[in-house]
Amino acid sequence: MKAVQDLKNAVRSRSIHVCYVNVGSCNGCDIEILACLAPRYDIEQYGIYVHNNPREADILLITGGFSPQWEDKLKMVWDKIPEPKAAIAIGNCPISGCVFNREGTYLDPPVSKHIPISAEVPGCPPRPTEILAAVLSLAPVIFKDYERKDE
Amino acid sequence: MASSIIWYLREFVRGEWISRFFTVKTPPLITPPHFRGFPILTGKECTHCLACMMICPTPNAIEVLRTGDVWNPVIYPGHCVRCGMCVEACPEDVLSTGVILETQKAEHTSYTATFHLTIDPVLCKRCGNCAVACPVNKEIDPYLGGTGTAFSDEVIMRISDGEMRVIHPEKCTGCKTCEKTCPNHAIRVARVVEGLQEAGE
């Protein structure tokens, strides 16, 4: 059975479905995620597919410093993602609020207060290479021997 | 028909084709050395002038902390935006990132900062908290009154004739302690940074 499981792990870590959600970012990080799709980085050759549908996704990329409108909605998006799942905070905003986290703003960072975050990619914005490296390093960990978890 | 299938099968078992099909074709994910990363220490002595903290555009991204007897700036990656301003502002080249220090040396550029103090007379209630909290004032006149009055003319600001007056704004180091202690947000410290370039040889 181990050979079958190894094959499953190898195949699954080369088929990562990603959904990204902007919880109040300036769009800088979204553009860097978009750059990953472009031919220079081309994430589909690593087996990463962007769907923007939480029901199809394995990994949720979160950008932005969490504006109050997302208070109830981000949890809804997170609950729709089937197991196994992971969330990655892209950029400084979901980690600390960055330049927007000043006195008198309504931002509520970090995002880890609201949903569990598995990895953080600091940078304002992070480079496409850093986003890619984070997704690629996280995927084998979350998919590893998934069926055996509940045994 | 058969020859075509055989041609395809032969094509698919070629090592080059298989490796190209299964592996990544774009250039490797490496960061060129001239890209700005999070600033790192060069090992030179920090003089605790706080120029890096003053120029930093993001809240809580850099702090100058003392470990043992030495002061050293500490960068927090979740806050830092990698703009490299601290590297350029530092007069002692304590921090380094990318090729900023080399470029600065080659082009003879530097930053100087001055600070403009403005007090809104409508909001100010003349409590003198700013003058008392100011660390520069404290050094110049240790006997500064608890209400912000001072006998010395050399202080940055003091209460005189029932009014908070800024006397020597050029002595301000931009720490913004006065802004933080002001109960009414009446005092504002504005940073004016000039980029200078000396004429080359």
Side-chain angles (χ1 to χ4, degrees):
Chain A
M1 282 309 285
K2 184 161 183 309
V4 177
Q5 195 62 46
D6 285 350
L7 184 67
K8 277 183 179 175
N9 287 347
V11 172
R12 281 180 180 157
S13 64
R14 283 186 60 87
S15 167
I16 310 155
H17 294 251
V18 161
C19 165
Y20 63 87
V21 61
N22 176 339
V23 293
S25 103
C26 67
N27 278 343
C29 297
D30 301 76
I31 288 169
E32 297 301 310
I33 293 171
L34 203 63
C36 292
L37 292 163
R40 173 62 179 82
Y41 298 103
D42 195 11
I43 54 174
E44 295 210 348
Q45 67 185 336
Y46 298 94
I48 307 171
Y49 308 96
V50 176
H51 282 296
N52 262 358
N53 175 1
R55 292 205 192 277
E56 287 182 88
D58 299 311
I59 289 183
L60 182 68
L61 305 182
I62 298 165
T63 61
F66 208 86
S67 58
Q69 287 91 337
W70 282 92
E71 211 57 66
D72 49 341
K73 298 183 186 83
L74 186 63
K75 189 77 176 59
M76 268 164 58
V77 171
W78 175 245
D79 288 340
K80 280 177 186 173
I81 301 178
E83 290 280 349
K85 60 187 174 181
I88 304 182
I90 301 290
N92 280 354
C93 283
I95 303 171
S96 69
C98 200
V99 287
F100 302 115
N101 189 10
R102 293 190 191 268
E103 207 182 320
T105 62
Y106 293 103
L107 286 188
D108 193 17
V111 171
S112 53
K113 278 199 286 193
H114 306 277
I115 61 168
I117 297 287
S118 308
E120 289 172 342
V121 188
C124 184
R127 301 188 180 109
T129 54
E130 291 170 345
I131 299 172
L132 254 173
V135 175
L136 288 176
S137 60
L138 189 64
V141 180
I142 61 162
F143 295 132
K144 191 168 188 299
D145 299 342
Y146 175 62
E147 288 89 344
R148 293 184 184 176
K149 270 182 190 168
D150 41 21
E151 275 174 22
Chain B
M1 175 68 188
S3 68
S4 155
I5 290 173
I6 289 165
W7 188 88
Y8 272 111
L9 288 177
R10 274 181 56 199
E11 180 71 12
F12 290 159
V13 295
R14 270 197 311 138
E16 194 194 344
W17 186 89
I18 291 174
S19 69
R20 269 173 139 207
F21 186 82
F22 283 107
T23 54
V24 171
K25 286 158 284 284
T26 52
L29 303 179
I30 48 163
T31 306
H34 62 272
F35 275 27
R36 289 194 307 259
F38 297 110
I40 46 164
L41 297 174
T42 56
K44 289 187 182 153
E45 196 185 344
C46 173
T47 56
H48 193 231
C49 70
L50 304 182
C52 48
M53 275 177 83
M54 291 313 115
I55 206 154
C56 183
T58 15
N60 312 322
I62 186 166
E63 256 183 329
V64 182
L65 300 178
R66 192 161 80 171
T67 43
D69 286 339
V70 290
W71 291 93
N72 265 327
V74 178
I75 312 279
Y76 296 107
H79 300 251
C80 175
V81 298
R82 301 190 277 205
C83 64
M85 299 281 268
C86 49
V87 178
E88 277 190 80
C90 180
E92 310 291 332
D93 296 350
V94 172
L95 291 165
S96 158
T97 179
V99 288
I100 289 181
L101 287 181
E102 288 86 335
T103 318
Q104 209 179 9
K105 205 164 279 174
E107 298 182 353
H108 305 279
T109 54
S110 60
Y111 280 139
T112 55
T114 51
F115 300 93
H116 285 199
L117 298 168
T118 46
I119 297 170
D120 186 340
V122 179
L123 288 174
C124 178
K125 55 181 194 173
R126 286 85 179 168
C127 62
N129 274 7
C130 49
V132 175
C134 178
V136 181
N137 268 8
K138 186 69 91 192
E139 214 159 273
I140 297 167
D141 185 359
Y143 301 105
L144 194 88
T147 50
T149 51
F151 292 114
S152 168
D153 287 337
E154 298 301 309
V155 292
I156 295 178
M157 60 204 152
R158 64 173 181 182
I159 298 264
S160 58
D161 305 329
E163 198 69 50
M164 177 55 75
R165 290 176 206 280
V166 179
I167 310 168
H168 289 290
E170 75 279 358
K171 287 182 185 170
C172 178
T173 57
C175 67
K176 301 200 176 186
T177 311
C178 49
E179 252 189 45
K180 278 182 202 142
T181 47
C182 181
N184 268 9
H185 303 290
I187 187 162
R188 284 273 169 250
V189 183
R191 176 185 63 198
V192 182
V193 176
E194 276 178 278
L196 303 173
Q197 182 164 28
E198 292 165 25
E201 294 91 63

